[in-house]
């Protein structure tokens, strides 16, 4: 379980570029053992790029909830355990030919990666943290 972020931390992290937000997400998800998505009555929220259909993910509840405005104001932030992400989500997203948009900001800017790439990064980070 993560500690709530204060407004200064949220503002600072939202100022990160897409690459730095990606690295932050990987560390937070492994530390907190959960990744956040938004859901509505139809299931998981999706975003579309020119090339990919994507599932947006966030490192903390606060960032997912900050996205639940406008068209998405009826959405709820939902945590997925890291174990469930590894065991079900990675393969499910690949089977559905979906990509992951990592920690998009309010401008919908985020790195688009394939599920196996994110899975690999999360496992690498877990190994690093276990060596400490």
């Amino acid at each position: 379980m993560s500690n709530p972020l204060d407004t200064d931390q949220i503002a600072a992290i939202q100022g990160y570029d897409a690459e730095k937000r990606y690295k932050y997400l990987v560390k937070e998800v492994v530390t907190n053992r959960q990744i956040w998505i938004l859901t509505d009555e139809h299931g998981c929220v999706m975003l579309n790029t020119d090339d990919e259909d994507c599932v947006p993910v966030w490192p903390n509840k606060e960032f997912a909830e900050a996205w639940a405005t406008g068209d998405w104001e009826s959405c709820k932030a939902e945590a997925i355990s890291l174990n469930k992400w590894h065991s079900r989500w990675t393969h499910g997203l690949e089977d559905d030919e979906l990509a992951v948009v990592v920690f998009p900001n309010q401008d919908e800017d985020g790195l688009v990666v394939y599920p196996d790439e994110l899975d690999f990064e999360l496992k690498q980070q877990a190994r690093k943290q276990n060596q400490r």
Side-chain angles (χ1 to χ4, degrees), residues 65-107:
E65 287 179 341
W67 248 72
T69 61
D71 292 345
W72 296 301
E73 67 186 354
S74 63
C75 297
K76 302 276 182 261
E78 183 178 316
I80 298 168
S81 74
L82 190 53
N83 289 342
K84 188 186 274 188
W85 183 265
H86 289 314
S87 67
R88 291 198 201 135
W89 278 76
T90 298
H91 302 295
L93 292 170
E94 287 175 326
D95 290 347
D96 293 340
E97 297 182 9
L98 297 172
V100 178
V101 61
V102 176
F103 196 174
N105 63 13
Q106 300 308 80
D107 300 326

Side-chain angles (χ1 to χ4, degrees), residues 22-94:
Y22 180 65
K23 289 177 178 164
Y24 174 82
L25 175 129
V26 169
K27 285 182 180 168
E28 280 291 288
V29 167
V30 171
T31 299
N32 298 326
R33 313 270 319 139
Q34 59 188 11
I35 192 165
W36 291 85
I37 60 168
L38 283 178
T39 60
D40 63 15
E41 69 274 8
H42 306 294
C44 183
V45 167
M46 305 281 290
L47 296 176
N48 307 91
T49 68
D50 293 338
D51 305 316
E52 306 284 348
D53 291 331
C54 306
V55 172
V57 297
W58 291 271
N60 311 90
K61 182 178 184 179
E62 292 88 345
F63 296 114
E65 287 179 341
W67 248 72
T69 61
D71 292 345
W72 296 301
E73 67 186 354
S74 63
C75 297
K76 302 276 182 261
E78 183 178 316
I80 298 168
S81 74
L82 190 53
N83 289 342
K84 188 186 274 188
W85 183 265
H86 289 314
S87 67
R88 291 198 201 135
W89 278 76
T90 298
H91 302 295
L93 292 170
E94 287 175 326

